[in-house]
Amino acid sequence: MAEALVGGAVLSATLQVLLDRLASREFVNFFRGRKHDGRLLKKMKLKLIGLNKVLNDAENKQITDQAVKDWLDELKDAVYHADDLVDEIATEALRCKVEAEYQSSPNQVRAPISTSTDSFDSEIESKLVEMIDILEDFKKEKDELGLREVVEQNWSHRLPTTSLLDESCVYGRENDKEEIMKLLLSDGERRTAFDVVPIVGMGGVGKTTLAKLLYNDGSQEQLSRQVTERASDANDLNSLQVKLKDSLSGKKFLIVLDDVWNENYDQWDVLMDPFRFGAYGSKIIVTTRNESVASAMQTVPLHGLQVLQEEDCWKLFSKHAFGKGDCNAHPNLEKIGKEIVKKCKGLPLAAKTLGGLLRSQRDAKDWNNVLESAVWELSDEKSNIFPALRLSYHYLPSHLKRCFAHCSIFNKDYEFDMKELVSTWIAEGFLEKPKSNKTMEERGYECFHELLSRSFFQRSNAKPSRFVMHDLLHDLAESVVGDFYYRLKDGKPHSISEKVVEPMANGG
């Protein structure tokens, strides 16, 4: 189910990039300069825009409606063909530009102008008409399926955070807690009324759990941990801030802001106004997946939270899988369980979720099913893993969604080089043309570092100059692209679908 949801999301991203290309000045000017029928280009754009508007509804309905899922898959195929058509036009535009520059160069022997122009124009117009007809069919099917424009769905289904925590279920965070506790108990240089301590890491790595550990630590009993209930009944920003100021004025406080996404410094600065009335030594813990968020808020160095060691990950899994029981009483399950833990790659959320999923199962067949299944094959009702990772993907800008999805071509644990990956993104046309004087390579490096800062990539432990993806993020990338990419396994193509073969056969 999760695969379908994210697959629709990448279609929306691809459509947006395609529409941006169609609206670019270079594309419009070239098309107009060749005396094509401008109505065809406008028609195709309008049909793509109309289809894009119903994608949110389609992504929801495909969960229970196979016909809608099939419609989405076929639409994705058509959109990729439309993208190929735009590539053809862009290539011809570049050829004409180079030819014109050559013809106008001084001291050059004039070469005959290419005679392929008319045939190209005729072929492109024919393909545009064909593509418009295909998109019109999708529009009719869309109406028959009852798809409509809806407000974007809420991708986050997580429960509100509370301060309660069963500390007996926390493993491997002693050093993290100790490092951050030093910051919380230190008054520093007192340059500001309060310090902001960011905890940064990928979804599911345990940022909220660590924040709860810190919040409940007995060393901080002298801090005012909770704002009075008076602040909660405020229904506008001014009232809320005034009540927060009254509640915190002169007090030394500890506040936890969990799962922050906003990168806007100005908004953060406004939000912080009431906290400036607290006593020196006050602290704010912020958990986020994005280093850019941390940079906008932090007053002390951020704490990057890493995955658990395999031994701690096993303890966590075992705690939830066997409950109060002893795993030694089930040696056959223990062996399978340790293989399952390897799949988790140190991610606490995955260990906890899969352990809880198997808590009432004592049949080795059920455990093997989980071992052999892809994470996204688990329904959202049974697993929090994929929704947590999918949320990170959902908040990516369109061009970064495509760049991330492309990384599914790598094998798991593959250590990739930034420059090589950026070169591939440029060649595939995933990056928009920079609006400043930056080169495409510089724009690509910015995109790479943004994905790195959002925890989609990690530095290799063995080779710090190279990067890797967590296995579960690799699973996410694979689910995003579905049948539209292929990758090599042991030097050979692996599971090539018809959707990949057809464009390849046509020279795509």
Side-chain angles (χ1 to χ4, degrees):
M1 298 303 180
E3 174 185 3
L5 283 170
V6 184
V10 80
L11 174 56
S12 179
T14 303
L15 259 175
Q16 188 56 57
V17 172
L18 178 56
L19 289 169
D20 290 344
R21 294 182 70 191
L22 288 172
S24 67
R25 180 181 302 175
E26 295 86 351
F27 189 90
V28 172
N29 288 344
F30 171 76
F31 207 81
R32 186 180 296 146
R34 300 298 288 273
K35 299 180 181 180
H36 284 295
D37 187 347
R39 290 174 299 176
L40 291 178
L41 181 62
K42 186 175 181 180
K43 236 179 175 182
M44 186 169 84
K45 284 171 58 178
L46 289 175
K47 292 193 182 299
L48 288 170
I49 290 171
L51 292 167
N52 193 33
K53 288 181 177 180
V54 302
L55 286 185
N56 285 328
D57 192 31
E59 288 164 17
N60 279 326
K61 290 180 177 176
Q62 67 174 327
I63 299 173
T64 55
D65 192 329
Q66 183 62 39
V68 175
K69 184 181 185 305
D70 292 341
W71 181 87
L72 266 178
D73 285 343
E74 291 168 6
L75 177 59
K76 188 190 294 186
D77 195 25
V79 168
Y80 281 136
H81 278 84
D83 198 42
D84 289 341
L85 179 56
V86 172
D87 278 340
E88 280 189 60
I89 298 173
T91 301
E92 175 66 7
L94 179 61
R95 185 191 68 78
C96 290
K97 180 181 178 182
V98 172
E99 189 173 88
E101 290 174 350
Y102 178 79
Q103 293 291 334
S104 61
S105 296
N107 304 321
Q108 292 289 344
V109 177
R110 298 294 186 266
I113 296 177
S114 173
T115 58
S116 63
T117 299
D118 291 340
S119 62
F120 177 83
D121 289 349
S122 176
E123 182 183 355
I124 285 299
E125 290 206 3
S126 175
K127 288 183 178 182
L128 278 172
V129 170
E130 181 183 2
M131 180 55 63
I132 289 168
D133 289 341
I134 291 172
L135 295 176
E136 176 62 26
D137 289 340
F138 278 105
K139 180 180 179 298
K140 293 176 182 177
E141 292 169 1
K142 175 257 299 184
D143 295 335
E144 292 173 2
L145 292 169
L147 300 177
R148 56 189 176 84
E149 183 177 352
V150 295
V151 177
E152 189 171 355
Q153 61 180 312
N154 178 12
W155 287 76
S156 177
H157 303 290
R158 86 182 260 184
L159 294 172
T161 305
T162 74
S163 62
L164 301 180
L165 176 69
D166 180 1
E167 296 190 18
S168 69
C169 293
V170 181
Y171 300 94
R173 293 307 186 196
E174 296 83 3
N175 292 337
D176 296 290
K177 180 182 175 183
E178 183 179 346
E179 285 182 28
I180 300 178
M181 191 61 70
K182 290 177 182 177
L183 296 173
L184 295 177
L185 297 178
S186 169
D187 285 342
E189 298 181 12
R190 295 195 173 188
R191 293 178 181 172
T192 57
F194 58 86
D195 277 328
V196 180
V197 183
I199 302 174
V200 182
M202 66 179 287
V205 80
K207 302 180 295 296
T208 301
T209 297
L210 178 57
K212 289 182 178 184
L213 270 179
L214 296 163
Y215 183 87
N216 289 298
D217 189 271
S219 304
Q220 302 181 85
E221 289 182 354
Q222 72 273 24
L223 300 178
S224 175
R225 299 189 184 193
Q226 200 166 14
V227 180
T228 61
E229 293 297 327
R230 290 187 298 126
S232 64
D233 59 9
N235 55 13
D236 64 83
L237 180 60
N238 180 67
S239 299
L240 175 60
Q241 291 209 317
V242 169
K243 290 184 177 182
L244 277 173
K245 172 199 162 188
D246 293 342
S247 298
L248 298 175
S249 185
K251 296 179 181 178
K252 194 174 182 181
F253 60 79
L254 171 64
I255 290 177
V256 177
L257 301 179
D258 188 42
D259 205 20
V260 179
W261 293 84
N262 189 5
E263 302 176 46
N264 189 302
Y265 175 79
D266 291 335
Q267 292 181 7
W268 166 248
D269 196 47
V270 171
L271 176 65
M272 290 299 99
D273 284 340
F275 302 124
R276 295 187 175 99
F277 291 88
Y280 278 103
S282 296
K283 310 291 180 181
I284 298 177
I285 297 174
V286 172
T287 71
T288 180
R289 307 178 187 197
N290 191 341
E291 287 184 11
S292 297
V293 173
S295 297
M297 307 168 81
Q298 70 188 84
T299 62
V300 298
L302 66 83
H303 183 87
L305 191 60
Q306 305 302 317
V307 296
L308 295 176
Q309 296 293 322
E310 190 171 309
E311 181 181 354
D312 292 317
C313 200
W314 164 249
K315 290 177 182 177
L316 180 59
F317 173 88
S318 182
K319 176 81 174 181
H320 290 278
F322 297 102
K324 294 181 180 179
D326 185 359
C327 64
N328 293 326
H330 306 278
N332 58 327
L333 299 183
E334 181 180 358
K335 182 178 180 181
I336 303 171
K338 289 188 174 179
E339 291 300 313
I340 293 174
V341 165
K342 289 180 181 179
K343 285 181 58 173
C344 297
K345 284 296 180 79
L347 199 68
L349 177 62
K352 177 182 177 181
T353 299
L354 296 180
L357 189 65
L358 294 168
R359 189 178 182 88
S360 61
Q361 308 295 330
R362 291 296 176 262
D363 189 329
K365 182 180 178 181
D366 295 322
W367 285 54
N368 274 314
N369 285 339
V370 170
L371 174 62
E372 295 167 4
S373 298
V375 172
W376 66 78
E377 292 175 356
L378 302 174
S379 68
D380 288 0
E381 290 76 18
K382 292 183 178 180
S383 169
N384 291 325
I385 306 170
F386 215 77
L389 299 178
R390 187 172 65 220
L391 191 63
S392 294
Y393 173 83
H394 172 69
Y395 278 102
L396 284 176
S398 297
H399 63 284
L400 289 184
K401 287 181 177 178
R402 292 184 60 161
C403 291
F404 167 69
H406 174 78
C407 296
S408 65
I409 65 172
F410 301 131
N411 288 324
K412 289 184 177 179
D413 294 327
Y414 176 76
E415 297 179 342
F416 51 89
D417 176 78
M418 178 181 69
K419 291 183 178 180
E420 291 176 2
L421 181 56
V422 167
S423 296
T424 304
W425 288 345
I426 295 172
E428 293 287 351
F430 291 163
L431 305 178
E432 73 274 20
K433 188 176 180 180
K435 296 179 182 179
S436 61
N437 293 326
K438 294 177 181 176
T439 65
M440 288 295 288
E441 285 76 13
E442 288 172 331
R443 178 61 183 139
Y445 299 151
E446 287 179 352
C447 293
F448 184 93
H449 284 293
E450 189 164 354
L451 286 169
L452 179 64
S453 73
R454 291 170 182 255
S455 306
F456 284 91
F457 301 150
Q458 300 166 332
R459 288 192 181 275
S460 166
N461 291 327
K463 301 175 183 177
S465 63
R466 299 182 73 85
F467 301 84
V468 295
M469 292 173 64
H470 190 282
D471 279 7
L472 296 180
L473 285 171
H474 188 280
D475 289 344
L476 174 64
E478 283 191 340
S479 76
V480 163
V481 299
D483 294 332
F484 290 85
Y485 270 43
Y486 79 99
R487 61 188 174 88
L488 297 178
K489 188 173 183 179
D490 299 326
K492 299 178 181 179
H494 180 61
S495 301
I496 304 180
S497 77
E498 293 179 359
K499 293 183 175 64
V500 174
V501 174
E502 182 180 351
M504 290 175 63
N506 292 329

